[in-house]
Amino acid sequence: MHGLGDVRFFDRVARLYDWVMPAADQQSLAAALSRADGDIDRLLDFGGGTGRATIAVDAAERTVVDISRPMLRRAQARTASGPGRPADPSGPLATVQGDAGRLAVGDNTIDAAIVVDAFHHMPAQAAVVSEAQRVLRPGGVFVVREFDPSHPLGWLLARGEHSIGMNSTFHTPAELAELLADAGFEVEILDAGFEYTVVGTNR
Ligand SMILES: C[S@@+](CC[C@H](N)C(=O)[O-])C[C@H]1O[C@@H](n2cnc3c(N)ncnc32)[C@H](O)[C@@H]1O
C-alpha cells in the first residue's frame, strides 16, 4: 500500500481521531519554536490533521495543511462555535487542503513550520523538507515531532502501522537530523525517547 493508503486511513478515522489522541505536548513544541530568531507570526502545520497540535502553539496566523479533507473538516469545526460547543479558546485556525511536499506558498514567507506525528506518513519526505526550507524566512524554524523506531515503543508502533498496511517510514533522531542538515538547516535534537523533537533553523 502506498502513502495514499495512509491518507485513506485518516479519512476514515477523522471523526474519532480527537477522542482517542492525547493532547499534543505544548512544552516540547514551545521549546522548539523558541529556537526561531524573532517573532513567530505565520505558522504552518504540515499534516496538521484536526489541528490537535496547531492549537497547542502560539502564533498570530496558524494554518493547518493536510491532504485529508475529513481531517481538515474537524480542524475547521474547532474554530466555529455551535449548539453546546464553544469555539476553541486558542483562537482561529486557517486550513488548506494539499500535499506538504508541494505547497502553494511563497518563498521566505513563513516564520515556523511544524510536523507532529505526521512526517512518517508522508511518502515524499525529502520534498517536504525542501518545501519547508523554501517557505521559511531566514531564522525561521522547522519543527518535527516523530517516533523513534529504535525505542521499544517506537518499534512496536512501526510494526503495528505496517501490519495494518500503512507505508510509514520512521527515522531515529540522528537520521532525521541528517535529513534536515542535508537540506541546509542548522539542526538540533531537543528531546529523546519514544517521541522526540528535531528542530531545523533556516540559515
Ligand atoms: C497521525 S495524523 C497527525 C495529525 C496532527 N499532526 C496531529 O498531531 O494530531 C497524520 C496526518 O498527516 C496527513 N498527511 C499524510 N501525508 C500527507 C501529505 N503528503 N501532505 C499533507 N498531509 C499529509 C494525514 O492526512 C493525517 O491527517
Side-chain angles (χ1 to χ4, degrees), residues 19-51:
W19 288 96
V20 297
M21 291 295 284
D25 187 332
Q26 198 162 16
Q27 270 191 326
S28 297
L29 288 168
L33 291 171
S34 74
R35 265 50 182 188
D37 299 340
D39 292 341
I40 295 180
D41 291 326
R42 300 188 73 198
L43 176 142
L44 297 180
D45 185 358
F46 293 176
T50 64

PDB file of all heavy atoms in Angstrom, residues 19-51:
ATOM      1  N   TRP A  19     -10.909  11.982  19.828  1.00  0.00           N
ATOM      2  CA  TRP A  19     -11.376  11.245  21.008  1.00  0.00           C
ATOM      3  C   TRP A  19     -10.299  10.307  21.530  1.00  0.00           C
ATOM      4  O   TRP A  19     -10.211  10.051  22.722  1.00  0.00           O
ATOM      5  CB  TRP A  19     -12.624  10.411  20.672  1.00  0.00           C
ATOM      6  CG  TRP A  19     -13.838  11.259  20.480  1.00  0.00           C
ATOM      7  CD1 TRP A  19     -14.327  11.715  19.281  1.00  0.00           C
ATOM      8  CD2 TRP A  19     -14.699  11.777  21.485  1.00  0.00           C
ATOM      9  NE1 TRP A  19     -15.439  12.480  19.494  1.00  0.00           N
ATOM     10  CE2 TRP A  19     -15.705  12.536  20.827  1.00  0.00           C
ATOM     11  CE3 TRP A  19     -14.737  11.659  22.878  1.00  0.00           C
ATOM     12  CZ2 TRP A  19     -16.719  13.184  21.519  1.00  0.00           C
ATOM     13  CZ3 TRP A  19     -15.756  12.306  23.563  1.00  0.00           C
ATOM     14  CH2 TRP A  19     -16.727  13.057  22.890  1.00  0.00           C
ATOM     15  N   VAL A  20      -9.489   9.761  20.651  1.00  0.00           N
ATOM     16  CA  VAL A  20      -8.523   8.742  21.075  1.00  0.00           C
ATOM     17  C   VAL A  20      -7.109   9.302  21.276  1.00  0.00           C
ATOM     18  O   VAL A  20      -6.294   8.679  21.954  1.00  0.00           O
ATOM     19  CB  VAL A  20      -8.450   7.547  20.088  1.00  0.00           C
ATOM     20  CG1 VAL A  20      -9.770   6.818  20.031  1.00  0.00           C
ATOM     21  CG2 VAL A  20      -8.046   7.988  18.695  1.00  0.00           C
ATOM     22  N   MET A  21      -6.835  10.467  20.746  1.00  0.00           N
ATOM     23  CA  MET A  21      -5.472  11.003  20.846  1.00  0.00           C
ATOM     24  C   MET A  21      -5.323  11.901  22.076  1.00  0.00           C
ATOM     25  O   MET A  21      -6.193  12.720  22.360  1.00  0.00           O
ATOM     26  CB  MET A  21      -5.139  11.832  19.592  1.00  0.00           C
ATOM     27  CG  MET A  21      -5.000  11.003  18.345  1.00  0.00           C
ATOM     28  SD  MET A  21      -3.609   9.861  18.415  1.00  0.00           S
ATOM     29  CE  MET A  21      -2.252  10.995  18.148  1.00  0.00           C
ATOM     30  N   PRO A  22      -4.196  11.758  22.789  1.00  0.00           N
ATOM     31  CA  PRO A  22      -3.947  12.681  23.893  1.00  0.00           C
ATOM     32  C   PRO A  22      -3.612  14.070  23.329  1.00  0.00           C
ATOM     33  O   PRO A  22      -3.309  14.197  22.141  1.00  0.00           O
ATOM     34  CB  PRO A  22      -2.723  12.064  24.582  1.00  0.00           C
ATOM     35  CG  PRO A  22      -2.027  11.293  23.509  1.00  0.00           C
ATOM     36  CD  PRO A  22      -3.101  10.819  22.557  1.00  0.00           C
ATOM     37  N   ALA A  23      -3.647  15.084  24.186  1.00  0.00           N
ATOM     38  CA  ALA A  23      -3.287  16.437  23.731  1.00  0.00           C
ATOM     39  C   ALA A  23      -1.831  16.454  23.279  1.00  0.00           C
ATOM     40  O   ALA A  23      -1.006  15.674  23.767  1.00  0.00           O
ATOM     41  CB  ALA A  23      -3.499  17.431  24.865  1.00  0.00           C
ATOM     42  N   ALA A  24      -1.516  17.346  22.347  1.00  0.00           N
ATOM     43  CA  ALA A  24      -0.120  17.479  21.893  1.00  0.00           C
ATOM     44  C   ALA A  24       0.726  18.082  23.016  1.00  0.00           C
ATOM     45  O   ALA A  24       0.209  18.752  23.904  1.00  0.00           O
ATOM     46  CB  ALA A  24      -0.082  18.373  20.660  1.00  0.00           C
ATOM     47  N   ASP A  25       2.031  17.812  22.950  1.00  0.00           N
ATOM     48  CA  ASP A  25       2.951  18.248  24.000  1.00  0.00           C
ATOM     49  C   ASP A  25       3.330  19.724  23.781  1.00  0.00           C
ATOM     50  O   ASP A  25       4.253  20.044  23.033  1.00  0.00           O
ATOM     51  CB  ASP A  25       4.204  17.363  23.967  1.00  0.00           C
ATOM     52  CG  ASP A  25       5.142  17.640  25.126  1.00  0.00           C
ATOM     53  OD1 ASP A  25       5.153  18.782  25.639  1.00  0.00           O
ATOM     54  OD2 ASP A  25       5.885  16.715  25.508  1.00  0.00           O
ATOM     55  N   GLN A  26       2.588  20.578  24.486  1.00  0.00           N
ATOM     56  CA  GLN A  26       2.732  22.022  24.318  1.00  0.00           C
ATOM     57  C   GLN A  26       4.146  22.500  24.672  1.00  0.00           C
ATOM     58  O   GLN A  26       4.723  23.341  23.980  1.00  0.00           O
ATOM     59  CB  GLN A  26       1.718  22.697  25.238  1.00  0.00           C
ATOM     60  CG  GLN A  26       1.425  24.120  24.915  1.00  0.00           C
ATOM     61  CD  GLN A  26       0.120  24.572  25.568  1.00  0.00           C
ATOM     62  OE1 GLN A  26      -0.399  23.926  26.480  1.00  0.00           O
ATOM     63  NE2 GLN A  26      -0.410  25.679  25.090  1.00  0.00           N
ATOM     64  N   GLN A  27       4.693  21.919  25.739  1.00  0.00           N
ATOM     65  CA  GLN A  27       6.022  22.364  26.218  1.00  0.00           C
ATOM     66  C   GLN A  27       7.118  22.073  25.208  1.00  0.00           C
ATOM     67  O   GLN A  27       7.981  22.914  24.952  1.00  0.00           O
ATOM     68  CB  GLN A  27       6.362  21.646  27.513  1.00  0.00           C
ATOM     69  CG  GLN A  27       5.890  22.400  28.741  1.00  0.00           C
ATOM     70  CD  GLN A  27       6.467  21.792  29.999  1.00  0.00           C
ATOM     71  OE1 GLN A  27       6.654  20.573  30.073  1.00  0.00           O
ATOM     72  NE2 GLN A  27       6.761  22.623  30.979  1.00  0.00           N
ATOM     73  N   SER A  28       7.108  20.855  24.663  1.00  0.00           N
ATOM     74  CA  SER A  28       8.128  20.490  23.678  1.00  0.00           C
ATOM     75  C   SER A  28       8.029  21.372  22.451  1.00  0.00           C
ATOM     76  O   SER A  28       9.044  21.811  21.896  1.00  0.00           O
ATOM     77  CB  SER A  28       7.971  19.043  23.226  1.00  0.00           C
ATOM     78  OG  SER A  28       8.152  18.197  24.306  1.00  0.00           O
ATOM     79  N   LEU A  29       6.795  21.645  22.027  1.00  0.00           N
ATOM     80  CA  LEU A  29       6.618  22.480  20.838  1.00  0.00           C
ATOM     81  C   LEU A  29       7.087  23.907  21.112  1.00  0.00           C
ATOM     82  O   LEU A  29       7.774  24.516  20.289  1.00  0.00           O
ATOM     83  CB  LEU A  29       5.153  22.454  20.393  1.00  0.00           C
ATOM     84  CG  LEU A  29       4.702  21.142  19.754  1.00  0.00           C
ATOM     85  CD1 LEU A  29       3.188  21.085  19.611  1.00  0.00           C
ATOM     86  CD2 LEU A  29       5.364  20.961  18.387  1.00  0.00           C
ATOM     87  N   ALA A  30       6.750  24.428  22.296  1.00  0.00           N
ATOM     88  CA  ALA A  30       7.168  25.803  22.632  1.00  0.00           C
ATOM     89  C   ALA A  30       8.690  25.889  22.705  1.00  0.00           C
ATOM     90  O   ALA A  30       9.295  26.856  22.229  1.00  0.00           O
ATOM     91  CB  ALA A  30       6.531  26.228  23.950  1.00  0.00           C
ATOM     92  N   ALA A  31       9.331  24.864  23.287  1.00  0.00           N
ATOM     93  CA  ALA A  31      10.799  24.875  23.393  1.00  0.00           C
ATOM     94  C   ALA A  31      11.423  24.883  22.007  1.00  0.00           C
ATOM     95  O   ALA A  31      12.398  25.599  21.750  1.00  0.00           O
ATOM     96  CB  ALA A  31      11.265  23.649  24.189  1.00  0.00           C
ATOM     97  N   ALA A  32      10.840  24.112  21.096  1.00  0.00           N
ATOM     98  CA  ALA A  32      11.392  24.053  19.739  1.00  0.00           C
ATOM     99  C   ALA A  32      11.173  25.378  19.009  1.00  0.00           C
ATOM    100  O   ALA A  32      12.074  25.896  18.346  1.00  0.00           O
ATOM    101  CB  ALA A  32      10.747  22.900  18.974  1.00  0.00           C
ATOM    102  N   LEU A  33       9.968  25.926  19.137  1.00  0.00           N
ATOM    103  CA  LEU A  33       9.662  27.172  18.418  1.00  0.00           C
ATOM    104  C   LEU A  33      10.492  28.343  18.947  1.00  0.00           C
ATOM    105  O   LEU A  33      10.759  29.301  18.214  1.00  0.00           O
ATOM    106  CB  LEU A  33       8.161  27.481  18.530  1.00  0.00           C
ATOM    107  CG  LEU A  33       7.252  26.517  17.750  1.00  0.00           C
ATOM    108  CD1 LEU A  33       5.788  26.757  18.092  1.00  0.00           C
ATOM    109  CD2 LEU A  33       7.467  26.688  16.243  1.00  0.00           C
ATOM    110  N   SER A  34      10.927  28.236  20.210  1.00  0.00           N
ATOM    111  CA  SER A  34      11.731  29.331  20.791  1.00  0.00           C
ATOM    112  C   SER A  34      13.111  29.429  20.124  1.00  0.00           C
ATOM    113  O   SER A  34      13.832  30.393  20.327  1.00  0.00           O
ATOM    114  CB  SER A  34      11.883  29.144  22.301  1.00  0.00           C
ATOM    115  OG  SER A  34      12.795  28.094  22.556  1.00  0.00           O
ATOM    116  N   ARG A  35      13.489  28.441  19.329  1.00  0.00           N
ATOM    117  CA  ARG A  35      14.777  28.478  18.605  1.00  0.00           C
ATOM    118  C   ARG A  35      14.730  29.462  17.434  1.00  0.00           C
ATOM    119  O   ARG A  35      15.768  29.763  16.839  1.00  0.00           O
ATOM    120  CB  ARG A  35      15.130  27.100  18.061  1.00  0.00           C
ATOM    121  CG  ARG A  35      16.035  26.248  18.926  1.00  0.00           C
ATOM    122  CD  ARG A  35      15.619  26.127  20.327  1.00  0.00           C
ATOM    123  NE  ARG A  35      16.557  25.345  21.116  1.00  0.00           N
ATOM    124  CZ  ARG A  35      16.338  24.961  22.359  1.00  0.00           C
ATOM    125  NH1 ARG A  35      15.208  25.296  22.968  1.00  0.00           N
ATOM    126  NH2 ARG A  35      17.240  24.269  23.012  1.00  0.00           N
ATOM    127  N   ALA A  36      13.550  29.925  17.050  1.00  0.00           N
ATOM    128  CA  ALA A  36      13.460  30.859  15.910  1.00  0.00           C
ATOM    129  C   ALA A  36      14.086  32.191  16.280  1.00  0.00           C
ATOM    130  O   ALA A  36      14.020  32.617  17.433  1.00  0.00           O
ATOM    131  CB  ALA A  36      11.999  31.063  15.520  1.00  0.00           C
ATOM    132  N   ASP A  37      14.692  32.834  15.305  1.00  0.00           N
ATOM    133  CA  ASP A  37      15.121  34.217  15.502  1.00  0.00           C
ATOM    134  C   ASP A  37      13.875  35.088  15.301  1.00  0.00           C
ATOM    135  O   ASP A  37      13.228  34.987  14.268  1.00  0.00           O
ATOM    136  CB  ASP A  37      16.147  34.630  14.435  1.00  0.00           C
ATOM    137  CG  ASP A  37      17.408  33.766  14.490  1.00  0.00           C
ATOM    138  OD1 ASP A  37      17.650  33.142  15.538  1.00  0.00           O
ATOM    139  OD2 ASP A  37      18.125  33.730  13.469  1.00  0.00           O
ATOM    140  N   GLY A  38      13.568  35.917  16.256  1.00  0.00           N
ATOM    141  CA  GLY A  38      12.437  36.846  16.097  1.00  0.00           C
ATOM    142  C   GLY A  38      11.092  36.189  16.366  1.00  0.00           C
ATOM    143  O   GLY A  38      11.003  35.025  16.762  1.00  0.00           O
ATOM    144  N   ASP A  39      10.034  36.978  16.129  1.00  0.00           N
ATOM    145  CA  ASP A  39       8.675  36.538  16.455  1.00  0.00           C
ATOM    146  C   ASP A  39       8.153  35.507  15.453  1.00  0.00           C
ATOM    147  O   ASP A  39       8.585  35.474  14.300  1.00  0.00           O
ATOM    148  CB  ASP A  39       7.715  37.737  16.425  1.00  0.00           C
ATOM    149  CG  ASP A  39       8.024  38.704  17.554  1.00  0.00           C
ATOM    150  OD1 ASP A  39       8.688  38.281  18.529  1.00  0.00           O
ATOM    151  OD2 ASP A  39       7.624  39.875  17.432  1.00  0.00           O
ATOM    152  N   ILE A  40       7.204  34.722  15.932  1.00  0.00           N
ATOM    153  CA  ILE A  40       6.517  33.777  15.031  1.00  0.00           C
ATOM    154  C   ILE A  40       5.111  34.308  14.796  1.00  0.00           C
ATOM    155  O   ILE A  40       4.248  34.220  15.668  1.00  0.00           O
ATOM    156  CB  ILE A  40       6.495  32.359  15.621  1.00  0.00           C
ATOM    157  CG1 ILE A  40       7.928  31.841  15.706  1.00  0.00           C
ATOM    158  CG2 ILE A  40       5.634  31.429  14.768  1.00  0.00           C
ATOM    159  CD1 ILE A  40       8.066  30.475  16.271  1.00  0.00           C
ATOM    160  N   ASP A  41       4.910  34.895  13.626  1.00  0.00           N
ATOM    161  CA  ASP A  41       3.573  35.382  13.271  1.00  0.00           C
ATOM    162  C   ASP A  41       2.852  34.361  12.397  1.00  0.00           C
ATOM    163  O   ASP A  41       1.709  34.036  12.644  1.00  0.00           O
ATOM    164  CB  ASP A  41       3.681  36.720  12.520  1.00  0.00           C
ATOM    165  CG  ASP A  41       4.164  37.828  13.451  1.00  0.00           C
ATOM    166  OD1 ASP A  41       3.808  37.792  14.639  1.00  0.00           O
ATOM    167  OD2 ASP A  41       4.909  38.715  12.990  1.00  0.00           O
ATOM    168  N   ARG A  42       3.546  33.869  11.382  1.00  0.00           N
ATOM    169  CA  ARG A  42       2.891  32.953  10.425  1.00  0.00           C
ATOM    170  C   ARG A  42       3.447  31.544  10.607  1.00  0.00           C
ATOM    171  O   ARG A  42       4.653  31.321  10.447  1.00  0.00           O
ATOM    172  CB  ARG A  42       3.122  33.424   8.993  1.00  0.00           C
ATOM    173  CG  ARG A  42       2.584  34.816   8.729  1.00  0.00           C
ATOM    174  CD  ARG A  42       2.671  35.140   7.266  1.00  0.00           C
ATOM    175  NE  ARG A  42       1.669  34.406   6.501  1.00  0.00           N
ATOM    176  CZ  ARG A  42       1.721  34.221   5.190  1.00  0.00           C
ATOM    177  NH1 ARG A  42       2.734  34.692   4.498  1.00  0.00           N
ATOM    178  NH2 ARG A  42       0.765  33.562   4.568  1.00  0.00           N
ATOM    179  N   LEU A  43       2.566  30.621  10.933  1.00  0.00           N
ATOM    180  CA  LEU A  43       2.978  29.229  11.179  1.00  0.00           C
ATOM    181  C   LEU A  43       2.141  28.283  10.334  1.00  0.00           C
ATOM    182  O   LEU A  43       0.922  28.445  10.218  1.00  0.00           O
ATOM    183  CB  LEU A  43       2.792  28.919  12.671  1.00  0.00           C
ATOM    184  CG  LEU A  43       3.084  27.492  13.141  1.00  0.00           C
ATOM    185  CD1 LEU A  43       3.755  27.507  14.524  1.00  0.00           C
ATOM    186  CD2 LEU A  43       1.824  26.633  13.210  1.00  0.00           C
ATOM    187  N   LEU A  44       2.810  27.302   9.729  1.00  0.00           N
ATOM    188  CA  LEU A  44       2.110  26.234   9.002  1.00  0.00           C
ATOM    189  C   LEU A  44       2.264  24.938   9.779  1.00  0.00           C
ATOM    190  O   LEU A  44       3.357  24.635  10.273  1.00  0.00           O
ATOM    191  CB  LEU A  44       2.719  26.035   7.610  1.00  0.00           C
ATOM    192  CG  LEU A  44       2.657  27.186   6.615  1.00  0.00           C
ATOM    193  CD1 LEU A  44       3.312  26.759   5.294  1.00  0.00           C
ATOM    194  CD2 LEU A  44       1.222  27.626   6.367  1.00  0.00           C
ATOM    195  N   ASP A  45       1.191  24.171   9.865  1.00  0.00           N
ATOM    196  CA  ASP A  45       1.252  22.844  10.481  1.00  0.00           C
ATOM    197  C   ASP A  45       1.067  21.819   9.360  1.00  0.00           C
ATOM    198  O   ASP A  45      -0.053  21.574   8.895  1.00  0.00           O
ATOM    199  CB  ASP A  45       0.164  22.723  11.554  1.00  0.00           C
ATOM    200  CG  ASP A  45       0.252  21.413  12.320  1.00  0.00           C
ATOM    201  OD1 ASP A  45       1.128  20.582  11.986  1.00  0.00           O
ATOM    202  OD2 ASP A  45      -0.560  21.212  13.245  1.00  0.00           O
ATOM    203  N   PHE A  46       2.191  21.225   8.921  1.00  0.00           N
ATOM    204  CA  PHE A  46       2.161  20.249   7.817  1.00  0.00           C
ATOM    205  C   PHE A  46       1.553  18.935   8.324  1.00  0.00           C
ATOM    206  O   PHE A  46       2.002  18.400   9.331  1.00  0.00           O
ATOM    207  CB  PHE A  46       3.568  19.909   7.344  1.00  0.00           C
ATOM    208  CG  PHE A  46       4.339  21.019   6.667  1.00  0.00           C
ATOM    209  CD1 PHE A  46       5.655  20.798   6.290  1.00  0.00           C
ATOM    210  CD2 PHE A  46       3.779  22.249   6.383  1.00  0.00           C
ATOM    211  CE1 PHE A  46       6.397  21.778   5.660  1.00  0.00           C
ATOM    212  CE2 PHE A  46       4.509  23.234   5.745  1.00  0.00           C
ATOM    213  CZ  PHE A  46       5.828  23.006   5.385  1.00  0.00           C
ATOM    214  N   GLY A  47       0.601  18.389   7.603  1.00  0.00           N
ATOM    215  CA  GLY A  47      -0.058  17.158   8.077  1.00  0.00           C
ATOM    216  C   GLY A  47      -0.724  17.441   9.413  1.00  0.00           C
ATOM    217  O   GLY A  47      -0.736  16.604  10.303  1.00  0.00           O
ATOM    218  N   GLY A  48      -1.298  18.639   9.518  1.00  0.00           N
ATOM    219  CA  GLY A  48      -1.847  19.110  10.805  1.00  0.00           C
ATOM    220  C   GLY A  48      -3.161  18.456  11.189  1.00  0.00           C
ATOM    221  O   GLY A  48      -3.616  18.581  12.324  1.00  0.00           O
ATOM    222  N   GLY A  49      -3.793  17.754  10.241  1.00  0.00           N
ATOM    223  CA  GLY A  49      -4.995  16.964  10.541  1.00  0.00           C
ATOM    224  C   GLY A  49      -6.110  17.789  11.164  1.00  0.00           C
ATOM    225  O   GLY A  49      -6.574  18.787  10.601  1.00  0.00           O
ATOM    226  N   THR A  50      -6.534  17.384  12.336  1.00  0.00           N
ATOM    227  CA  THR A  50      -7.661  18.041  13.021  1.00  0.00           C
ATOM    228  C   THR A  50      -7.225  19.303  13.761  1.00  0.00           C
ATOM    229  O   THR A  50      -8.038  19.911  14.454  1.00  0.00           O
ATOM    230  CB  THR A  50      -8.276  17.077  14.052  1.00  0.00           C
ATOM    231  OG1 THR A  50      -7.271  16.810  15.063  1.00  0.00           O
ATOM    232  CG2 THR A  50      -8.715  15.761  13.428  1.00  0.00           C
ATOM    233  N   GLY A  51      -5.944  19.654  13.657  1.00  0.00           N
ATOM    234  CA  GLY A  51      -5.462  20.843  14.368  1.00  0.00           C
ATOM    235  C   GLY A  51      -5.086  20.560  15.818  1.00  0.00           C
ATOM    236  O   GLY A  51      -4.854  21.484  16.595  1.00  0.00           O
TER     237      GLY A  51
END
